Structure formats: C-alpha cells, structure tokens
Amino acid sequence: MRRPDAISGRGAPENRTPTRFGLAVREADGDWLDAREGLDGEPPPLRTTVTVEKPKTIITRNTSRDIGFDRSINPYRGCEHGCIYCFARPTHAFHDLSPGLDFESKLFAKPDAAELLRKELAKPGYKVAPIAIGTNTDPYQPIEAKWEITRGIVEVLAETRHPLTITTKSDRVLRDIDLLGAMARDRLVAVALSVTSLMPEIHRTLEPRAPAPRKRLAAVKALREAGIPAYVGIAPIVPGITDHELEHIVEAAAEAGATGVFYIPVRLPYEVAPLFRAWLDEHYPDRADKVMHIIRSIRGGRDNDPNWFSRMKGTGPWAELLATRFRVACKKHGLDRQKLGLRTDLFIPPQGAQLRLL
C-alpha cells in the first residue's frame, strides 16, 4: 500500500521531521487523511523551490583518512535527483527540514560560489590540492541548467589551472566539456559518473529524477573521446537489489571506455536508514528483511558503520565476496589500473592576486 504522503516521481516515500535536534514532530491526522481526496481532491504537485544561500566561504575542508581529497565545494544543498540512499539527506536537518521529500524539493543554491572561490584561491599561503565537486549533492542536478553555479566554479579552476575532480549522476557534465577538455590536456581534471543500476525499473524508484544509466554511460564515452579521464562509480551497491548487476556494470563501463571503476556499498547514516526501510517496504516488500539483514551483516550488526575505511567497503563474508567479484570483473575487462594523479604545480593565482607573489 502506498504511503499517504508519498509522491509519484519523487524518491522519499515520506517527509518525517528529524528528531536529532529536538524539533517538534509533525504528525498528520490519520482520520482526516482517509477522507482527504474526497474533501479536497487530488493534492497539487510538489514543486521544487530554490533558496539563495550566502556563505562566507565556499571551500569545505575535511581530515578524513579514507577519502582521497581534503577539500571540496558543494554548489547546492539538497538534490532533486531524489536518490533514496543519498547519505547527504541528513544535512537538511540542520535547516529544520526533513531529509525526506524536503531534501529533494526544498533546495539551496550558492550563486556567489565562483566569486568566493576566487577570493580563497588568492589568499596568501594557499596550498594547492585537488578540489572535489559533487561529494555531497550533485553539482549537475537539474537546477544547474538555470543557475550555472558549477559552470562558474569550473571556469575559475580552469583559469587558475587548479586540479579538480567531479562526481555526478548527470550527463549534463558534457555541457562543460570545453573547459574540462582543456584542463585534461594538462592533467588537471578527472570525472566520475555514478551508475547504480542498468535496469530502468530499478532506476526509476531508486533515483527517480537522475538521468537514465545509458545516458551516463554515453557521457563517459563522450568524455573519454574528448581526452578527459572518466571513471564509473558503482555507488552505492544495494544488497539484494542491485548487487547482481556488479559484473554487468563493470563490463558496460569498459565498453564505454572508462578510465577505471570503483564501488561503495550502501550507507545509511542517521535519517537515511528509516527512509530506506520505508522505501523497501513500498517497492520491495518481498525482500525488505533480507536486504536489511545483509546490510547489517556488512556494517557490524548496525544499519550504518561510520568508521573510517570500513564504511567504504564493509566487513564480513558478504563484503569480502563483493570485493572478490569486483576485482575479478575489473581484471577481466582491463579496468584494474591505478588511479590517475592530477598535477598541482601549474597553479596560477587569480587575476588581481599576483601582488602576493612579490
């Protein structure tokens, strides 16, 4: 049975108020809900709204030991792609908003990002290392077509010859192929496109507003033809739902000419776990218990393992089997090569900042 607050075409089956910060929980009147459509008719479609955010800085630093970057930029908060498994959903709780439908419909944009980036790159003592874009929410989600905030960021990094990595689920990244191609010639950029499933019936519910997997693989091929390093991330792998596709996705990545492949088992931090369980109950009730059992088996008996290193690969027999399958598939298709290193010695401070070098 479909949940009363579920909306067709959206990822989250509910819009539960987060409780981590003591917010008042919103509860709908069940008796009234039974007669809602008879009294008011069909509810209006859920519209996406965008709120302008004015941060003072744009580069986020981290000290995590199990990821390959120490700084990132997120042009947007929230993501209209609506991927039910998105580990960034809990960040909306900081805005007193639900990590459910609010996360994918009440978005925040940072239109001053390029200007802020220029100022930060011009600071005395700035030390160059690759900046990662798309580590939290997708930099090429649908609103990027209008706002072009990611484009502005890439323009600044291209101008200053600063290394960059991009992670996205969207073929919209091809819009910026002119900038990325020039950066790739100097080994300044690498792009990763996430491909979670090749099956349309799974894709439609798992990540309802993200471009189709075939479009993402076509984008990988186009990036490679332009000389741009392009990886495929099988992220996340959902046990009992998508894990059987592992070898097929590796093969499809090789056919698209991908530079390499990586994977991450599904992570369910904070409010993502109950959202994911509600999604399972609605779309896969026949195997919901089995899926959660496997997830807990690779997460130390919990819904989520936040510990460094183990959070990215999981532990236990199921995780070990997954790693073996992945390694064999990559070797079979010639994708067991090392990661590409980006150059950091070509950086030119933004115009107007040269006086710092005198």
Side-chain angles (χ1 to χ4, degrees), residues 63-245:
T63 57
S64 298
R65 299 195 297 265
D66 60 349
I67 55 178
F69 59 89
D70 67 355
R71 65 200 69 182
S72 60
I73 295 176
N74 290 292
Y76 306 103
R77 293 183 191 268
C79 185
E80 197 173 4
H81 284 163
C83 305
I84 189 58
Y85 51 74
C86 182
F87 61 80
R89 283 182 177 273
T91 61
H92 249 46
F94 292 107
H95 296 275
D96 293 352
L97 295 171
S98 172
L101 291 171
D102 286 348
F103 175 81
E104 52 195 271
S105 62
K106 296 182 179 180
L107 311 181
F108 295 81
K110 307 172 186 178
D112 296 335
E115 180 183 348
L116 290 170
L117 176 60
R118 189 178 295 277
K119 290 179 180 178
E120 292 189 52
L121 296 182
K123 289 181 178 179
Y126 177 79
K127 295 183 179 180
V128 181
I131 289 177
I133 298 180
T135 60
N136 201 38
T137 58
D138 203 306
Y140 288 100
Q141 61 178 288
I143 59 173
E144 168 63 15
K146 174 183 177 181
W147 289 80
E148 296 190 345
I149 297 174
T150 301
R151 170 82 182 185
I153 293 169
V154 176
E155 286 175 341
V156 172
L157 296 175
E159 172 194 325
T160 58
R161 307 186 79 184
H162 192 293
L164 160 71
T165 65
I166 296 172
T167 302
T168 181
K169 291 182 181 297
S170 177
D171 59 335
R172 188 171 285 107
V173 66
L174 296 179
R175 180 204 60 189
D176 296 338
I177 204 167
D178 57 328
L179 299 172
L180 301 176
M183 295 180 74
R185 287 192 287 273
D186 289 327
R187 218 173 74 210
L188 290 172
V189 68
V191 179
L193 280 104
S194 171
V195 179
T196 310
S197 173
L198 300 175
M199 302 175 68
E201 61 272 25
I202 295 178
H203 158 71
R204 281 195 296 267
T205 60
L206 196 63
E207 38 195 28
R209 294 200 172 195
R214 59 180 175 78
K215 289 187 176 181
R216 299 180 221 174
L217 290 168
V220 170
K221 183 177 181 180
L223 290 168
R224 295 297 296 124
E225 290 174 347
I228 301 167
Y231 295 80
V232 168
I234 312 174
I237 292 178
V238 184
I241 305 293
T242 68
D243 62 289
H244 67 285
E245 298 187 67

